[in-house]
Amino acid sequence: MIHRFELKGRWTGGRNSQGTIKMDALDSDVSIPESMDGPGVGTNPDEMLLGAASTCYLITLAAILESSRVQFDSIELNSVAHVETDKGIPTFKEIIHDPTIIGLHSYEQTDAKIQRIFAKAESSCMISRAIEGNVKVTVK
């Protein structure tokens, strides 16, 4: 089965202008971030890639925990991206996920098993697989 996603975008002006993107639940202004000498309006590709990788990891982790019969209240995730600029060319280098399980009810679960689940979620995530070989993704 193939799932189709469609985005409509519009950009006006040059590099330091801004645009919009729209699709289903996503509707945002976009521009280059201030940290990269842009106007910093709305979101940007770096935030969106980090957001895609993080939400994919979070959903995949929840699904694997559920299939492993690990009961919990919630998952908190802090993700950080590192983008390196060399000679004016930005390159997305690394994403680091730092998940925390809140309210773990399955006390027989060992830290080692939870760590294996954390790693399995990263390797199973569709976005992690899509960027594999280009962006390093690690889990703390």
Side-chain angles (χ1 to χ4, degrees):
M1 171 185 270
I2 294 179
H3 302 275
R4 184 171 186 267
F5 300 92
E6 183 175 347
L7 180 139
K8 302 259 186 214
R10 179 175 166 83
W11 189 267
T12 57
R15 177 196 185 276
N16 283 334
S17 189
Q18 65 189 58
T20 59
I21 54 171
K22 294 181 183 185
M23 64 182 296
D24 296 333
L26 177 64
D27 185 350
S28 181
D29 292 330
V30 292
S31 72
I32 296 173
E34 286 183 24
S35 64
M36 294 178 168
D37 298 322
V41 175
T43 190
N44 58 69
D46 309 280
E47 287 179 344
M48 292 183 63
L49 182 57
L50 178 60
S54 298
T55 55
C56 182
Y57 178 78
L58 193 57
I59 293 166
T60 304
L61 178 57
I64 293 172
L65 287 166
E66 180 180 58
S67 68
S68 300
R69 294 182 175 86
V70 176
Q71 297 176 355
F72 61 96
D73 292 332
S74 63
I75 304 166
E76 292 184 0
L77 179 64
N78 184 51
S79 296
V80 176
H82 295 143
V83 176
E84 180 182 299
T85 302
D86 185 26
K87 298 178 184 171
I89 300 171
T91 302
F92 214 103
K93 293 301 228 180
E94 180 178 29
I95 295 172
I96 303 166
H97 297 306
D98 186 5
T100 302
I101 299 176
I102 306 300
L104 186 63
H105 300 291
S106 302
Y107 296 108
E108 69 276 1
Q109 305 300 330
T110 64
D111 283 344
K113 180 176 182 179
I114 298 298
Q115 292 302 319
R116 285 192 302 273
I117 290 172
F118 285 171
K120 183 177 181 182
E122 188 277 316
S123 65
S124 300
C125 168
M126 174 180 69
I127 302 299
S128 292
R129 291 192 329 266
I131 62 177
E132 186 175 16
N134 292 305
V135 178
K136 180 182 176 184
V137 181
T138 57
V139 179
K140 277 182 155 181

